[in-house]
């Protein structure tokens, strides 16, 4: 939801190109996910700054997968829904991000 809201804001309110807006929405969603994963999923007590940088590093690979899927859907399929592309791209990269976050970003 955060990703979709950020995309809508950057695309519809700020009037950025949907591909540029998507880069920003991924970063906003990634930061939001780091916070909630740190607090609830992994209940981490490690260094927040170090974990954030590891999380961003790990999830940047997933973000490339996510962005590539999104970009392919909206540019190669005429009339494909921008918001549906976000949802599908998120599902493609979600498992990858979770596993690498568990192994690397929030290691004890």
């Amino acid at each position: 939801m955060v990703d979709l809201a950020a995309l809508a804001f950057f695309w519809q309110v700020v009037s950025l190109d949907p591909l540029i807006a998507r880069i920003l929405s991924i970063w906003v969603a990634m930061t939001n996910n780091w916070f909630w994963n740190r607090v609830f999923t992994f209940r981490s007590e490690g260094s927040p700054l170090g974990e954030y940088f590891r999380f961003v590093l790990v999830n940047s690979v997933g973000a490339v997968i996510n962005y590539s899927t999104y970009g392919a859907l909206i540019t190669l399929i005429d009339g494909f829904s921008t918001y549906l592309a976000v949802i599908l791209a998120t599902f493609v990269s979600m498992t990858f991000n979770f596993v690498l976050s568990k192994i690397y970003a929030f290691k004890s």
Side-chain angles (χ1 to χ4, degrees):
M1 294 308 294
V2 170
D3 198 357
L4 288 172
L7 176 65
F9 173 77
F10 291 122
W11 179 36
Q12 301 291 324
V13 177
V14 180
S15 299
L16 294 176
D17 178 86
L19 292 171
I20 300 300
R22 184 72 181 116
I23 292 169
L24 295 173
S25 75
I26 286 172
W27 176 74
V28 169
M30 190 182 304
T31 300
N32 178 71
N33 289 342
W34 165 78
F35 175 78
W36 293 112
N37 276 312
R38 175 177 170 72
V39 173
F40 293 108
T41 306
F42 299 109
R43 299 190 195 310
S44 178
E45 295 178 4
S47 165
L49 190 56
E51 283 179 356
Y52 180 75
F53 284 121
R54 286 192 306 270
F55 187 84
V56 169
L57 179 66
V58 166
N59 285 271
S60 290
V61 177
V64 169
I65 294 167
N66 188 312
Y67 185 79
S68 299
T69 303
Y70 166 82
L73 290 171
I74 68 167
T75 58
L76 298 177
I77 302 174
D78 192 36
F80 199 88
S81 167
T82 301
Y83 297 114
L84 181 57
V86 170
I87 293 167
L88 293 174
T90 298
F91 281 113
V92 168
S93 64
M94 189 171 18
T95 301
F96 176 83
N97 285 341
F98 178 82
V99 169
L100 284 183
S101 291
K102 181 177 175 75
I103 294 169
Y104 182 69
F106 294 101
K107 64 182 179 181
S108 299

